[in-house]
Amino acid sequence: MHFCIFVAYPAMPDGAAKDFWTPIISELALIRIPLLLVLSGMLVSGYVRDGWRNAKTRSRVRSTAYIYLIWVLVYAVLSKIFPEGMPYQIIGLPDMFSQLYQPDTPLWFIFALTLYTAVFATMSRLSPALVLTAVAAFSLWSATIPGDRGANFWYHILTYGIYFGIGVYGRSLLAWLASPSRWWATGALLVVGVVLRSAVLATPMPWALASALQEVTSTFLVLGVIGVIVVWCQAGWFTRSASRLGTRTLPIYVLHLPMIWLILVIDRRLPLANLSGAWAWPIAGTIVVIAGCLVAEWAIRRAHLGYLFDPPSWVGQPRWVTVKTSRAEEVARSGPRVGSETVVLRHRMIDPRGAAKRVHASCSSDVGARSG
């Protein structure tokens, strides 16, 4: 969608190709961020619902904030290298520091994830029904606030919180839907979403009401799309290719805008759309952007700059966590127990790329000689 907006559309003449891609991009805009937030909420649900007492929650907030800050700095540096006029450039120190409270680049999504994780962790002791009701009401209200949603991403942050909440608190429902045998539920959700979408487009109504109904429509469509994705994943070839790409989500997300800048610079000298044609340019260009992101990630890691993607240990999970517990049942399994025993477990955390590290355990006890 970003490639079409910034590259393909400006170079695409009015005609059949543009008429074909316009509704596709419009509908993609309706569900892409809600879908990403629902899935993001599912991934962190286990520890966000534990609140701040869970070390993983604190680590996730720190590491996501780190990624946001480091890439704001990268964008600011790259903005000095590329010519002015590129979309979402960060020009000058005032603009860079304003990103701390007024995000206005695609990095706003990472800013939002940091905020959502912190807010939902803070509300973890409240009833899930109460939290979802309150967040849904707030989202619907914020959807009706007039303003330029293209320029002020705070509108998105306020409105889209409900989707992260659905992922956090609706994980069991989503897991129930995520089965090919429940195709009827997926189909029903998609039908309701399409009908609501058609009604909103076809019925004259106040803008505020249409905006609120659009969020309701997005909810049905997103839940239905998750079911469709599950069906797609039954195909082995799709699962293999998609999982390889899925592990590179962060590099693609943070690098796709600089790649678009690079294509815009090249396109000024060599009209790239002529190489694939107006019909295929959105797809071909998106493939070029993704491939460029993957190559750039490889080069960045080879240059020992992997900390741009993987927060250092002092930011993310602590390198070692020591847990001391009294474990009478552990002793009972091994024989009679005399005195007390303290088991010290020293766990090495999983690194940011998901590679499992070794787990070391050491035990100290004051079990007497009679323990057998």
Side-chain angles (χ1 to χ4, degrees):
M1 195 194 82
H2 285 178
F3 181 81
C4 278
I5 292 174
F6 300 126
V7 181
Y9 276 2
M12 192 179 293
D14 293 336
K18 197 167 191 176
D19 293 341
F20 171 79
W21 281 108
T22 298
I24 293 177
I25 298 306
S26 177
E27 297 307 309
L28 188 60
L30 186 67
I31 66 170
R32 79 192 194 287
I33 294 299
L35 178 60
L36 286 172
L37 286 174
V38 168
L39 297 177
S40 298
M42 289 180 66
L43 291 174
V44 301
S45 173
Y47 49 86
V48 168
R49 295 187 67 170
D50 287 341
W52 292 104
R53 60 185 177 275
N54 192 320
K56 288 185 178 180
T57 304
R58 301 191 296 272
S59 172
R60 176 54 66 101
V61 172
R62 291 196 303 270
S63 60
T64 312
Y66 167 88
I67 291 294
Y68 178 73
L69 294 174
I70 200 75
W71 279 95
V72 163
L73 179 60
V74 171
Y75 276 29
V77 172
L78 292 177
S79 295
K80 296 289 289 184
I81 298 173
F82 282 90
E84 290 190 15
M86 298 294 151
Y88 296 123
Q89 279 181 298
I90 298 176
I91 306 299
L93 287 177
D95 191 14
M96 185 177 72
F97 285 117
S98 71
Q99 303 299 320
L100 300 178
Y101 57 88
Q102 184 69 50
D104 64 356
T105 74
L107 296 174
W108 76 268
F109 181 79
I110 301 175
F111 180 99
L113 285 180
T114 308
L115 185 62
Y116 293 152
T117 304
V119 169
F120 278 91
T122 302
M123 299 189 294
S124 63
R125 295 184 182 275
L126 300 177
S127 163
L130 176 62
V131 172
L132 283 178
T133 301
V135 174
F138 184 79
S139 293
L140 290 175
W141 169 77
S142 60
T144 65
I145 302 175
D148 185 358
R149 279 164 166 70
N152 190 345
F153 286 114
W154 268 107
Y155 283 109
H156 298 318
I157 295 171
L158 298 177
T159 303
Y160 290 154
I162 183 57
Y163 300 108
F164 188 83
I166 290 173
V168 170
Y169 290 105
R171 184 170 181 169
S172 58
L173 171 62
L174 293 166
W176 182 85
L177 286 171
S179 170
S181 63
R182 299 194 177 92
W183 59 267
W184 53 270
T186 296
L189 289 167
L190 288 174
V191 168
V192 172
V194 170
V195 169
L196 280 175
R197 175 68 169 159
S198 301
V200 170
L201 293 175
T203 307
M205 63 181 69
W207 174 86
L209 177 59
S211 182
L213 287 177
Q214 178 172 293
E215 299 310 317
V216 177
T217 300
S218 295
T219 302
F220 282 101
L221 291 175
V222 164
L223 295 177
V225 167
I226 289 176
V228 172
I229 293 172
V230 169
V231 173
W232 285 348
C233 286
Q234 303 310 302
W237 65 268
F238 177 81
T239 303
R240 288 189 294 271
S241 59
S243 62
R244 292 192 191 100
L245 195 61
T247 58
R248 305 268 72 83
T249 301
L250 176 62
I252 291 172
Y253 192 87
V254 296
L255 285 168
H256 81 275
L257 185 63
M259 286 300 150
I260 287 177
W261 292 351
L262 182 60
I263 289 177
L264 285 172
V265 171
I266 296 173
D267 194 55
R268 291 176 179 177
R269 297 169 173 79
L270 174 66
L272 298 175
N274 296 339
L275 301 178
S276 61
W279 287 87
W281 184 218
I283 295 295
T286 301
I287 292 173
V288 169
V289 168
I290 293 174
C293 291
L294 297 179
V295 171
E297 184 210 3
W298 174 84
I300 288 170
R301 292 191 183 279
R302 287 296 297 267
H304 304 291
L305 297 174
Y307 58 83
L308 294 178
F309 308 113
D310 306 324
S313 58
W314 56 267
V315 172
Q317 295 278 8
R319 191 174 184 82
W320 292 95
V321 173
T322 300
V323 182
K324 295 184 178 181
T325 56
S326 178
R327 300 286 295 277
E329 63 277 8
E330 295 284 346
V331 182
R333 293 193 188 99
S334 60
R337 177 178 180 272
V338 178
S340 62
E341 180 172 28
T342 299
V343 179
V344 181
L345 298 178
R346 205 178 184 205
H347 299 278
R348 188 162 188 178
M349 289 300 181
I350 295 175
D351 72 15
R353 286 168 290 183
K357 301 297 184 181
R358 294 171 296 171
V359 176
H360 298 272
S362 62
C363 302
S364 63
S365 68
D366 59 357
V367 179
R370 290 174 295 169
S371 64

